[in-house]
Amino acid sequence: SHRSRASPQSLVAMAGPGWSLTMHSVRHYARCLRSSSALITSRTTSTASRALDATDQPPLIIEFGRYGCSKASLQVGRGANRSADDKAGVIMEAMGPLVSVAGEDAAFVTATAMGVADGVGGWKKHKVRGVKPISRRVNPAEFAARLMLECGERLATEHADLDLSYNAADCNTILTESHKEIVENTGKKFYGGATVCFTSIDPTRHVLSGVNLGDSGWRVFRDGEVFAASEDQRHSVFTPWQLCKKWDDLNVIDDDPDDADAQDVDVQVGDVVIVATDGLYDNLYDSEIGEVLTENIASFSASELAAELVKTALPLMQQKDISSPFSSRATDEGFFVMGGKIDDITVCVAKIM
């Protein structure tokens, strides 16, 4: 096993009131439910009506779902909790129904695609230039949500034509064009940085096309194990690759969208695709994600699977005496770190049927 754990009794004690834990589920998460803007959930199903391709395979049926929770919801009763959730609600209202926000995470789901962006929290220390009052600081969620809106709208428009052949290079182009639109043409003065990941599934060709920049990522699970995955991109354990919109004299990391990992992968009936922010991957090993999927895939919808993964990761974030993917990675780089990593978490799931 990857993880050394405290006993179940001590896990319940450390999790506090409102929690009921099993090995792979948190059956009641009252803290998340306190604010609707802290929790995002949706469901969409796609079927393809196109003619069969040269492989004579029937078109795939794909069910999508998403679920997210802000780290502020772990801090019930604090002003920061209400402030973060209020800001998320304002952003979602501005973006429309395509984009959901949980803390500094944002996500979209279309008929054939899904994606996440994780706003870089370090941007909060910067004050927005040219905006009154001058004390207004950057809200990283705004850039993440805008990036998801641009990517999601482009993917939805492209896939309105179901005869379109789609690949990873097209996904990379969409990412580059979306970033360019935000940097050059968006009238409102806002800034920030984010990691970004999205996938598009062609139901007729049975191909997933994915693009990832940073430490969010996608996975294709087959029979409970990782069949394919995006490349994790980091400058260091604490610094992922990221895109940004900045003013000229600000010295921050600004990676090139053309350097994003882009892949095409064959998928089949029974596969489950996960697109998630690092709030999931820092706290659950791939083997644990696979166990959750295996235990629940027969009876859970895509949205319910997404929720189960989030609820499984949440209590582990607060444990200080366990190993985690985050602590293992930090230790490998010479840092002594134990426990999970408290963070916003957003998970999108596609069940391929």
Side-chain angles (χ1 to χ4, degrees):
S1 174
H2 291 289
R3 193 188 298 278
S4 57
R5 298 176 181 267
S7 67
Q9 292 78 13
S10 62
L11 280 175
V12 173
M14 287 186 280
W19 293 82
S20 175
L21 303 181
T22 64
M23 183 61 71
H24 289 297
S25 69
V26 180
R27 300 179 352 158
H28 178 60
Y29 186 44
R31 293 177 177 179
C32 261
L33 297 178
R34 290 172 63 94
S35 170
S36 60
S37 64
L39 176 150
I40 57 176
T41 179
S42 70
R43 176 178 175 175
T44 243
T45 302
S46 169
T47 58
S49 58
R50 291 181 289 177
L52 300 186
D53 63 6
T55 63
D56 287 336
Q57 298 181 99
L60 298 170
I61 299 173
I62 312 166
E63 181 188 52
F64 291 89
R66 57 181 164 178
Y67 194 101
C69 184
S70 68
K71 62 185 176 185
S73 296
L74 300 174
Q75 302 168 328
V76 177
R78 297 186 181 183
N81 176 25
R82 293 190 296 273
S83 176
D85 293 339
D86 288 346
K87 289 178 181 178
V90 169
I91 292 171
M92 280 193 288
E93 184 176 351
M95 295 294 111
L98 179 63
V99 175
S100 298
V101 178
E104 292 163 1
D105 286 357
F108 75 84
V109 173
T110 73
T112 53
M114 56 186 179
V116 298
D118 183 355
V120 178
W123 274 86
K124 288 184 289 189
K125 67 184 180 183
H126 300 296
K127 294 181 180 180
V128 179
R129 293 288 185 87
V131 176
K132 296 181 180 179
I134 194 64
S135 61
R136 179 191 160 193
R137 295 190 179 275
V138 172
N139 180 4
E142 189 170 14
F143 177 82
R146 180 67 63 175
L147 188 58
M148 289 291 90
L149 181 65
E150 294 290 343
C151 292
E153 286 184 340
R154 281 173 168 77
L155 285 159
T157 300
E158 297 287 355
H159 280 291
D161 176 9
L162 288 178
D163 290 325
L164 180 68
S165 180
Y166 216 61
N167 58 39
D170 297 322
C171 287
N172 209 334
T173 298
I174 283 178
L175 177 59
T176 300
E177 291 177 348
S178 299
H179 181 243
K180 182 178 180 181
E181 173 69 21
I182 292 172
V183 171
E184 295 184 356
N185 300 321
T186 304
K188 183 179 178 182
K189 285 186 176 293
F190 71 91
Y191 303 93
T195 66
V196 59
C197 177
F198 63 82
T199 61
S200 173
I201 302 174
D202 187 317
T204 297
R205 293 191 301 125
H206 294 210
V207 173
L208 174 146
S209 301
V211 64
N212 179 67
L213 189 141
D215 59 0
S216 296
W218 58 263
R219 308 274 195 277
V220 177
F221 282 86
R222 182 168 296 173
D223 299 324
E225 297 183 352
V226 175
F227 170 73
S230 58
E231 176 188 340
D232 191 61
Q233 297 177 319
R234 301 172 189 265
H235 297 285
S236 72
V237 66
F238 302 109
T239 310
W241 288 21
Q242 55 202 262
L243 302 180
C244 81
K245 178 182 179 181
K246 64 185 181 71
W247 47 93
D248 291 341
D249 60 345
L250 184 64
N251 184 21
V252 294
I253 294 173
D254 184 12
D255 291 300
D256 189 333
D258 288 337
D259 292 333
D261 171 56
Q263 300 182 43
D264 290 312
V265 176
D266 291 334
V267 292
Q268 64 184 35
V269 173
D271 288 349
V272 179
V273 182
I274 306 294
V275 176
T277 58
D278 63 332
L280 178 71
Y281 301 124
D282 280 345
N283 291 287
L284 287 181
Y285 291 99
D286 286 343
S287 60
E288 294 174 312
I289 296 173
E291 289 174 19
V292 172
L293 298 178
T294 299
E295 290 175 7
N296 299 290
I297 189 171
S299 57
F300 278 22
S301 68
S303 291
E304 289 170 331
L305 285 174
E308 190 71 10
L309 288 168
V310 171
K311 294 173 183 178
T312 302
L314 287 172
L316 299 174
M317 291 183 182
Q318 301 183 90
Q319 307 310 309
K320 301 301 182 184
D321 60 347
I322 61 171
S323 61
S324 68
F326 172 73
S327 67
S328 298
R329 194 164 49 245
T331 300
D332 289 343
E333 294 198 18
F335 299 93
F336 180 74
V337 177
M338 281 295 293
K341 182 174 180 285
I342 294 177
D343 201 353
D344 304 318
I345 179 171
T346 299
V347 178
C348 299
V349 172
K351 286 181 66 178
I352 300 178
M353 300 175 285

